[in-house]
Amino acid sequence: RAYSQVSNPNKYITTPIFYVNADPHIGHLYTASVADAIARFNLLQENNVTFTTGTDEHGNKVLKAADHFDLNIDEYCKFISHKFRDMCDTFDIGYSDFIRTTDHHHQKAVQKFWTVLEEKGHIYPGGYTGWYCTAEESYLTEKDLVEKKTETGETIKVSAETGHPVEWSIEENYKFKLSNFEDDLKHWLKDVKVVQPTNFHKVLTHWIEEGGCSNDLSISRPAARSPWGVPVPTDASQTVYVWLDALVNYLSALGYPDESYKKFWPPTVQVIGKDILKFHGIYWPAFLMAAGLEPPKTILCHSHWTVNDEKMSKSKGNVVSPFAAGKLFTDEGLRYFLLRDSVPQNDSNYSLERVQNILNSELADTLGNLVSRCTGKVVNPNGEIPSVSVYGKTLKSEQAEKLRKNIESLGDSAKQQYESFLIHHAVDVVMETLRSANQMVEYHKPWQLAKETENESSSEELKAVIALAMEAVRVGAIALQPVVPKLSGKLLDSLRVPNHARKWKDTKPKYLSGESKSESEKFKNKSGILFPKVKVAA
Ligand code: ME8
């Protein structure tokens, strides 16, 4: 699984590591798919890519979950961690390393990182009295809380953001001098590119202006209350705060403290959800600056998926399992939908009807029909793909002109969209080209030309139509590899595009490349339907 190419730029892409207190859902798959698409796009650019994901396994929340299932904590963590890994494998999330915070080398890395912070004078013993939210593993201040009536009529305080209850807590612990890093953080945030899209950059800037780092941060818990964690190296009566533990995964996944981590440091893109922006946009860069390390180049923060316009939650019972959804829509279909029907800055909505409409209109109709129109029995009984170097420029219709323009600009336009993390727009660029190819086919009516093959000009026109439409499919399939690697692979196999000719530079149309006029090819798997129509919603 390791991706490696010699002497090209090194890129490090990460996902958050997921809590093992519950099963994976489509939100987790979405984050992993966004990061995977970015990693794959970088591979197509022939960069050296390391891409990591994994599971976050310490903390009271996880202990409680193991208890609930009456399982030994190690067994429990392994069991759920395996489900996340299984999700990654099922949906082609091509990680180079899957890190677990219970891994021995990770725990050693956390202790090393702690020691560096301590030696540099950023940690001091302190105490904390205040509200603690176990579900968020976070201390909250009065202004983060609202009151709520329970079923028994009792009034309790809950987190305003998540609705989870808080408890009053008095404890001794170690603190990190977060307040010392306010100016450095502001300086880091001066470059708006470090947190994208800009609405989330604004949220962070606002937090800091509102005093978000004026209080120091508790970074350990008494082991008596929080036994499931990494022991503080200099004080076994304390365990490291789960968020510090978890954030260090981005270093330990690269081998830290072994010097080899430097090859990929700092992270190129760290993909996260909006729920963990504060941890990645304030605590994480502050910890890194304190340790003398460079903060990430870009944090890509996305919004959330709702289900039928409601927030996904266990209590509502509307949590969508990626495995179940993958059975309804195929693995590639689900991945396509999640990446295609979302924008990072706003929430997106999952409904059976919506998935069905998108998949049927784009994968089955626009893409699938184009392929079957050009390879069907009547139009193309021998399954030929006529040489596009010969026929690419021969059609003179307006529709063919427009299609050629689309094909020629596809590589640059889609690249720009991927580079701006607007994956849905990259898909738009491809779909636009495929729709234009369908219009060209409708105009030239190959099914009629096929009846007139004794007429030489009809026969040549037929070959040109098929060649140009298939060129649109080839270029589109290369550009869609980050989104649907398997489906694109299948198409490129059918078109007999060799593996070494599937890089981004190969999106250049062949009829422009001046390479020697190639022979016709035979389409492979010509009888198979590319993407069967879905029928699950009324
Ligand atoms: O926060 N829509 O883990 P977690 C889209 N362990 N994405 C969603 C989502 C939704 N409805 N719900 C969750 C943790 N996510 C920590 C992270 S990293 C050092 C430690 C995604 O299992 C989104 O990426 O609660 C969110 O940030 C992440 O899952 C939270 O996963």
Side-chain angles (χ1 to χ4, degrees):
R1 290 282 188 110
Y3 300 133
S4 148
Q5 261 129 24
V6 189
S7 77
N8 290 329
N10 295 335
K11 305 282 175 173
Y12 181 28
I13 321 287
T14 69
T15 79
I17 48 169
F18 304 111
Y19 282 130
V20 291
N21 66 320
D23 284 353
H25 59 60
I26 52 165
H28 301 126
L29 175 62
Y30 173 60
T31 306
S33 303
V34 170
D36 182 62
I38 295 170
R40 286 179 191 274
F41 171 72
N42 272 282
L43 282 175
L44 295 178
Q45 300 294 327
E46 298 175 78
N47 295 323
N48 260 328
V49 178
T50 285
F51 167 37
T52 67
T53 186
T55 43
D56 188 356
E57 306 186 7
H58 290 129
N60 288 348
K61 189 153 93 165
V62 175
L63 263 187
K64 270 189 195 161
D67 223 36
H68 176 80
F69 287 101
D70 210 10
L71 279 175
N72 155 302
I73 185 73
D74 291 316
E75 286 303 312
Y76 172 77
C77 288
K78 199 166 151 190
F79 176 61
I80 307 282
S81 179
H82 189 83
K83 293 193 184 182
F84 278 95
R85 194 188 272 256
D86 193 20
M87 171 185 84
C88 291
D89 295 341
T90 305
F91 292 91
D92 282 307
I93 309 299
Y95 55 84
S96 29
D97 199 1
F98 187 99
I99 183 105
R100 298 181 56 192
T101 54
T102 47
D103 289 342
H104 179 71
H105 95 266
H106 168 78
Q107 304 200 43
K108 287 283 153 214
V110 171
Q111 292 188 323
K112 172 68 190 173
F113 192 79
W114 178 287
T115 307
V116 172
L117 293 183
E118 197 164 44
E119 282 170 3
K120 288 184 183 272
H122 300 299
I123 296 181
Y124 62 94
Y128 192 88
T129 306
W131 296 104
Y132 192 73
C133 177
T134 306
E136 290 176 33
E137 297 284 14
S138 198
Y139 284 106
L140 299 177
T141 61
E142 284 292 342
K143 71 173 175 21
D144 303 321
L145 306 176
V146 291
E147 293 197 332
K148 186 177 148 185
K149 270 219 164 29
T150 64
E151 277 168 10
T152 55
E154 202 188 337
T155 305
I156 56 161
K157 287 191 190 277
V158 298
S159 156
E161 198 185 329
T162 64
H164 290 118
V166 294
E167 313 164 39
W168 187 251
S169 132
I170 304 172
E171 56 182 44
E172 287 299 306
N173 50 36
Y174 289 97
K175 286 196 155 174
F176 169 73
K177 288 187 183 166
L178 180 63
S179 50
N180 279 358
F181 292 92
E182 187 166 336
D183 289 342
D184 290 335
L185 284 169
K186 282 184 179 158
H187 181 77
W188 175 65
L189 280 167
K190 270 200 179 133
D191 177 358
V192 290
K193 285 232 168 80
V194 296
V195 178
Q196 297 190 42
T198 46
N199 58 318
F200 291 118
H201 183 274
K202 282 200 189 117
V203 169
L204 265 189
T205 319
H206 187 69
W207 259 336
I208 296 178
E209 275 161 11
E210 295 283 288
C213 22
S214 48
N215 292 322
D216 288 345
L217 180 71
S218 295
I219 52 164
S220 72
R221 302 283 180 265
R225 284 191 51 189
S226 302
W228 184 234
V230 181
V232 167
T234 45
D235 181 353
S237 75
Q238 295 270 321
T239 49
V240 177
Y241 174 39
V242 280
W243 267 102
L244 174 55
D245 169 0
L247 287 163
V248 171
N249 94 82
Y250 301 128
L251 282 160
S252 59
L254 292 182
Y256 176 92
D258 186 286
E259 296 279 299
S260 58
Y261 82 91
K262 290 186 176 159
K263 184 173 171 205
F264 282 94
W265 200 262
T268 317
V269 187
Q270 302 209 262
V271 181
I272 60 163
K274 64 180 180 181
D275 50 321
I276 56 178
L277 180 59
K278 181 170 65 184
F279 301 95
H280 285 79
I282 295 182
Y283 303 162
W284 177 226
F287 290 148
L288 289 170
M289 289 168 185
L293 293 171
E294 233 181 290
K297 290 221 170 95
T298 299
I299 290 173
L300 172 62
C301 182
H302 63 68
S303 302
H304 278 175
W305 280 91
T306 54
V307 171
N308 298 324
D309 295 311
E310 291 199 29
K311 197 174 157 159
M312 248 194 293
S313 85
K314 247 196 220 166
S315 55
K316 282 196 196 119
N318 65 348
V319 176
V320 179
S321 147
F323 300 108
K327 286 215 172 73
L328 288 179
F329 298 115
T330 74
D331 305 336
E332 291 280 276
L334 180 59
R335 224 184 117 116
Y336 181 83
F337 172 75
L338 292 176
L339 291 174
R340 199 274 174 278
D341 209 32
S342 56
V343 292
Q345 61 273 27
N346 300 117
D347 285 353
S348 310
N349 185 49
Y350 176 96
S351 73
L352 295 184
E353 198 184 9
R354 182 78 188 160
V355 189
Q356 174 172 307
N357 288 345
I358 294 270
L359 296 184
N360 286 350
S361 81
E362 299 192 346
L363 294 186
D365 290 346
T366 305
L367 175 60
N369 273 354
L370 179 63
V371 174
S372 48
R373 273 170 151 178
C374 298
T375 56
K377 254 200 194 121
V378 175
V379 165
N380 196 348
N382 298 324
E384 298 268 337
I385 313 166
S387 161
V388 76
S389 326
V390 176
Y391 295 102
K393 289 201 246 184
T394 58
L395 292 174
K396 297 294 175 239
S397 65
E398 227 176 80
Q399 287 76 1
E401 280 297 338
K402 182 174 163 224
L403 173 59
R404 276 192 293 264
K405 274 211 181 100
N406 276 316
I407 297 177
E408 285 159 30
S409 62
L410 190 149
D412 284 345
S413 321
K415 178 174 179 220
Q416 215 175 25
Q417 302 299 352
Y418 278 122
E419 280 173 349
S420 316
F421 312 119
L422 299 172
I423 300 172
H424 60 294
H425 280 331
V427 177
D428 270 339
V429 170
V430 175
M431 283 299 141
E432 175 66 34
T433 305
L434 297 177
R435 276 192 296 269
S436 159
N438 275 309
Q439 283 158 11
M440 183 279 290
V441 169
E442 272 151 34
Y443 176 81
H444 285 277
K445 301 191 176 47
W447 45 90
Q448 261 175 29
L449 298 171
K451 290 185 200 146
E452 307 157 9
T453 42
E454 66 288 350
N455 171 341
E456 200 178 320
S457 82
S458 299
S459 160
E460 291 294 290
E461 186 180 339
L462 176 61
K463 284 182 189 160
V465 170
I466 297 173
L468 192 59
M470 285 294 142
E471 184 63 352
V473 174
R474 183 189 69 84
V475 172
I478 290 179
L480 277 185
Q481 290 176 101
V483 176
V484 274
K486 241 187 267 157
L487 190 69
S488 306
K490 198 164 132 188
L491 271 173
L492 294 167
D493 286 347
S494 299
L495 295 170
R496 301 191 186 271
V497 177
N499 279 326
H500 63 79
R502 299 178 182 190
K503 301 286 186 209
W504 200 266
K505 61 175 189 260
D506 301 305
T507 54
K508 193 171 164 206
K510 276 201 180 149
Y511 58 83
L512 288 183
S513 64
E515 69 185 54
S516 61
K517 309 269 181 202
S518 53
E519 296 290 307
S520 301
E521 292 272 17
K522 277 244 190 300
F523 193 76
K524 213 160 111 186
N525 312 327
K526 78 190 243 329
S527 57
I529 291 178
L530 182 73
F531 194 89
K533 279 215 176 184
V534 181
K535 181 91 186 91
V536 294

